[in-house]
Amino acid sequence: MVGLKQAAACVALLGFAAGSAQAADLFGESGGYKDGAAAPYWVVTVGGYAAVEPSFPGAKDTDFTFRPIFDFYRAGEKEWLSLPNDAFGFTLYQTANFRFGLAGNYIDERNVSDDRRALTGLRDIDYTIQLGGFAEYYPVPFIRTRVELLQGVTGAEGFEANLIADFIYRPAAQWQFTVGPRLKFVSGDYNSEFFSTPSNYLNLGYAYNAGGGLNSVGVSASARYDVNERWSIRGFAEWNRLEGDAADSPLVKLRGDEDQWQAGIGAAYKFNFTY
């Protein structure tokens, strides 16, 4: 299960970011000031999604899970697009249409007990915290491009690169829709953790060693309705198709599914935090 995808990453990354927060002031910030003075508070958004997602990478079955919503920015600065499957980010530098910073993500543990039919003969994988960086660029106001580079530091210690693009449509002030493609590239260590199988798996008589490269291609969509200045209702759906060595794994071909679906609906609350 890839549930609680951002919760632990938020905690880990905030600790990591705290030591780097002063770096943002060294760069300077566009739009972060009112009348020449820094705004004295942060705008914080918290909430969550009730979601369904694959029980583990490559799984055929899905699980119900909770997906947290957490975002913050300094009052007077730009509120950047934040989607449910983005890695949690802490901005170090921004202009009107570009930003980069620290990133973190979380992948839940995989246990044989999650699906004995598919996982018997495979080893358990501990929870994975990924740390790295992200960059976003808006060539025009209604298109976001994003790159995430993440390295696992616990559990599955492989490398992951996510290439993301989103078309943003706002038919009215209270509505926002997004849709766009997804590409994921991974290292051999990452694919091997989740998709390699030993020779005794399903009595196949041969070991499968998954290498790196293109892991999946997909598309993601989201919708948001602002009930008022504080409350919003949100939903998302995403489909990814496993590719390359991940798709060729006996785990996927014989007991899993190349098509990985997830969706959720939730709500969020926005408030001011004074420091």
Side-chain angles (χ1 to χ4, degrees), residues 1 4 42 44 49 51 60 66 68-69 85 88 90 92 125 147 155 160 179-180 194 200-201 212-213 238 242 265 268:
M1 183 174 71
L4 300 179
W42 295 81
V44 181
Y49 294 96
K60 177 180 292 185
F66 172 78
I69 298 170
N85 282 331
F88 174 76
F90 181 87
L92 293 178
I125 300 174
V147 177
E160 173 182 335
V179 63
F194 290 108
N200 64 344
Y201 181 67
E238 182 167 316
L242 295 175
I265 187 168

Side-chain angles (χ1 to χ4, degrees), residues 117-142:
R117 179 176 178 272
L119 298 176
T120 295
L122 303 183
R123 69 178 188 86
D124 294 341
I125 300 174
D126 202 1
Y127 69 88
T128 300
I129 293 176
Q130 299 172 308
L131 296 175
F134 78 97
E136 285 185 358
Y137 173 64
Y138 288 70
V140 291
F142 53 87

Side-chain angles (χ1 to χ4, degrees), residues 1-5 48-54 62-68 84-85 234-238 261-266:
M1 183 174 71
V2 197
L4 300 179
K5 187 173 182 182
Y49 294 96
V52 291
E53 56 188 17
T62 57
D63 286 334
F64 287 97
T65 187
F66 172 78
R67 184 76 61 83
N85 282 331
R234 308 178 182 207
F236 76 94
E238 182 167 316
W261 293 91
Q262 55 184 283
I265 187 168

Side-chain angles (χ1 to χ4, degrees), residues 209-226:
N209 298 309
L214 180 62
N215 174 269
S216 66
V217 300
V219 62
S220 183
S222 75
R224 168 178 161 178
Y225 176 73
D226 293 330

